């Protein structure tokens, strides 16, 4: 029961925290980079209740050194081992700015639930099922922490036709040729880190963390009050 509530708290906290976190890329087309996932989870960890934190710590693998953030790229690292998991990192739609689970949540073979929304549901349910979990809870936690990060990258919920912006070639600050997906996954975070945070991930993480509780703390209410389904209300 405690673990179940802790898992739910953690999920909620991750969701709240990730709403304001911008992040990075990774080896394959649809993934944030290591630093991004690390930062997202590092921030989320700091918002866990002591109960949730204890539950998470109990589930962490030894190599994580007691740090959830250290496991948050595991799902990318293990893609080759679990080829079916590739589709779980995103949820693209046909470009009508609407997501219909039944229509959109499937992989390229048409298998249902195989998208990031299905993945989050799957591993949340697995974690909450303390009676006889089918999946190793450590694996469920690591998938969940990763997918909640992925779903907050706007182009992980992009258009199927351009593979979430992967085929849209753009120039980043006139210099490098990149693609729109990668701009969001990697280029924005790298540039911000260089220009504003002395190229130091821990400073950037700390400032974002502070802003969540201070400068941006009122924004959450505005997001919650957003009634438009056609455009974002986050105009800051
Ligand atoms: C749910 O988890 C199981 C075990 O890891 C996996 O085989 C299955 O593909 C997952 N399905 C989704 C939709 O995440
Ligand atoms: C919990 O897991 C067991 C299998 O290990 C499954 O039979 C049962 O339906 C699950 N319960 C829920 C609520 O998902
Ligand atoms: C990009 O190129 C344009 C035109 O060549 C130039 O005016 C502008 O200053 C350049 N911007 C940057 C950031 O280098
Ligand atoms: C975030 O906090 C820093 C100070 O820690 C402040 O300078 C900055 O303006 C804040 N950013 C936003 C977007 O409020």
């Amino acid at each position: 029961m405690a673990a179940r509530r802790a898992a739910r708290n953690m999920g909620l906290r991750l969701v709240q925290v990730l709403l304001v976190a911008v992040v990075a890329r990774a080896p394959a087309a649809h993934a944030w980079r290591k630093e991004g996932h690390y930062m997202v989870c590092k921030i989320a960890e700091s918002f866990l209740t002591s109960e949730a934190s204890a539950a998470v710590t109990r589930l962490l693998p030894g190599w994580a050194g007691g740090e959830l953030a250290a496991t948050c790229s595991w799902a990318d690292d293990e893609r080759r081992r679990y080829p079916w998991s590739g589709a779980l990192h995103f949820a693209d739609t046909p470009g009508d700015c609407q997501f219909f689970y039944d229509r959109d949540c499937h992989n390229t073979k048409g298998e249902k639930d195989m998208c990031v929304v299905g993945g989050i549901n799957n591993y949340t349910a697995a974690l909450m099922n303390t009676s006889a979990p089918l999946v190793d809870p450590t694996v469920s936690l690591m998938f969940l922490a990763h997918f909640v990060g992925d779903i907050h990258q706007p182009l992980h919920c992009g258009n199927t036709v351009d593979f979430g912006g992967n085929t849209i070639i753009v120039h980043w600050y006139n210099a490098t040729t990149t693609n729109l997906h990668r701009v969001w996954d990697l280029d924005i975070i790298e540039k911000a880190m260089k220009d504003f945070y002395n190229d130091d991930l821990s400073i950037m993480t700390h400032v974002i963390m502070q802003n969540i509780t201070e400068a941006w703390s009122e924004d959450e209410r505005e997001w919650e009050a957003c009634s438009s389904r056609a455009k974002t209300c986050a105009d800051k």
Side-chain angles (χ1 to χ4, degrees):
M1 203 49 211
R4 171 186 297 200
R5 190 162 60 242
R8 188 185 311 125
N9 281 344
M10 187 191 67
L12 286 174
R13 281 297 168 199
L14 280 170
V15 168
Q16 285 166 1
V17 165
L18 297 172
L19 279 169
V20 292
V22 228
V23 186
R25 164 225 89 110
H30 271 104
W32 280 357
R33 174 198 172 91
K34 266 187 184 346
E35 286 85 341
H37 279 287
Y38 181 87
M39 182 160 65
V40 163
C41 284
K42 196 75 202 157
I43 293 171
E45 268 182 290
S46 75
F47 287 94
L48 294 177
T49 61
S50 55
E51 194 190 9
S53 177
V56 165
T57 304
R58 272 196 301 277
L59 291 179
L60 291 176
W63 52 263
E67 199 186 20
L68 175 65
T71 71
C72 288
S73 295
W74 172 89
D76 279 334
D77 299 339
E78 298 296 324
R79 270 194 210 217
R80 284 206 187 132
R81 198 166 140 205
Y82 305 117
W84 48 266
S85 70
L88 300 179
H89 293 247
F90 61 94
D92 291 347
T93 71
D96 55 5
C97 287
Q98 303 199 65
F99 175 77
F100 297 111
Y101 189 93
D102 289 342
R103 181 191 69 178
D104 301 321
C105 194
H106 55 77
N107 60 15
T108 50
K109 293 186 217 149
E111 288 164 348
K112 293 232 141 269
D113 306 322
M114 297 305 279
C115 78
V116 70
V117 183
I120 288 172
N121 289 343
N122 190 31
Y123 292 107
T124 301
L127 272 178
M128 289 170 80
N129 187 345
T130 50
S131 57
L134 281 178
V135 191
D136 175 354
T138 298
V139 165
S140 294
L141 174 69
M142 296 192 294
F143 269 133
L144 181 63
H146 183 88
F147 295 150
V148 173
D150 274 343
I151 203 173
H152 287 85
Q153 203 274 50
L155 290 169
H156 279 244
C157 303
N159 291 342
T160 41
V161 66
D162 58 39
F163 298 95
N166 273 289
T167 61
I168 301 176
I169 304 304
V170 295
H171 295 278
W172 180 244
Y173 285 87
N174 289 6
T176 35
T177 303
T178 178
N179 69 63
L180 195 57
H181 190 94
R182 195 182 152 93
V183 164
W184 276 91
D185 265 359
L186 170 68
D187 297 325
I188 291 176
I189 192 171
E190 274 195 346
K191 175 104 179 116
M193 201 153 85
K194 271 205 191 89
D195 287 4
F196 304 126
Y197 305 105
N198 203 25
D199 221 1
D200 185 327
L201 188 66
S202 63
I203 297 176
M204 184 163 174
T205 306
H206 184 77
V207 170
I208 292 176
M209 213 183 309
Q210 218 171 17
N211 285 17
I212 288 170
T213 49
E214 292 164 17
W216 300 336
S217 61
E218 290 301 307
D219 295 3
E220 198 178 315
R221 225 163 294 162
E222 289 174 35
W223 300 334
E224 282 172 357
C226 178
S227 58
S228 170
R229 292 183 57 85
K231 65 176 181 64
T232 171
C233 298
D235 56 357
K236 295 187 170 168

